Amino acid sequence: MRKFNRTVFLLLLLQSVSMCGGALFMILINKSQSFSQALFCMMMAMSLNALGNSGVAVTPQDMSPKFAGTLFGKIRILFTGLEFVLLNFDY
């Protein structure tokens, strides 16, 4: 149980770093004074976004190694359904 808690903590920490870091660098793009600074900020924002996306495939493997494919499929079906409902919802 202790190993699972450390794994969950690490996954949450990396997701937080990727989301908050990406948002921070996107805000810093407005404050940049040269093209190279803006390019660096955009590169870091995209890199941190990729870090967050890479954790998506690992999470089901950490939760249930034996049934990772099934769990990943169910998660994808759930989020695809939510996206379909939310995108078709008229604001």
Side-chain angles (χ1 to χ4, degrees):
M1 186 69 175
R2 174 173 261 179
K3 182 180 178 187
F4 182 73
N5 286 338
R6 285 192 310 185
T7 303
V8 170
F9 173 75
L10 184 61
L11 287 172
L12 290 175
L13 176 68
L14 290 175
Q15 285 293 103
S16 299
V17 166
S18 71
M19 289 180 174
C20 295
L24 175 70
F25 280 108
M26 291 299 282
I27 291 170
L28 289 177
I29 287 176
N30 291 331
K31 305 291 182 188
S32 61
Q33 298 176 354
S34 69
F35 177 74
S36 60
Q37 288 176 345
L39 187 65
F40 176 76
C41 289
M42 191 63 189
M43 179 192 68
M44 289 302 295
M46 291 178 70
S47 299
L48 288 169
N49 185 27
L51 175 69
N53 290 339
S54 66
V56 171
V58 176
T59 303
Q61 293 173 355
D62 287 336
M63 291 172 66
S64 176
K66 190 173 180 181
F67 302 105
T70 304
L71 187 59
F72 185 72
K74 289 183 179 185
I75 291 171
R76 294 302 302 160
I77 289 170
L78 174 71
F79 284 117
T80 303
L82 284 174
E83 288 173 7
F84 180 75
V85 170
L86 292 176
L87 288 176
N88 290 322
F89 185 69
D90 216 7
Y91 289 97

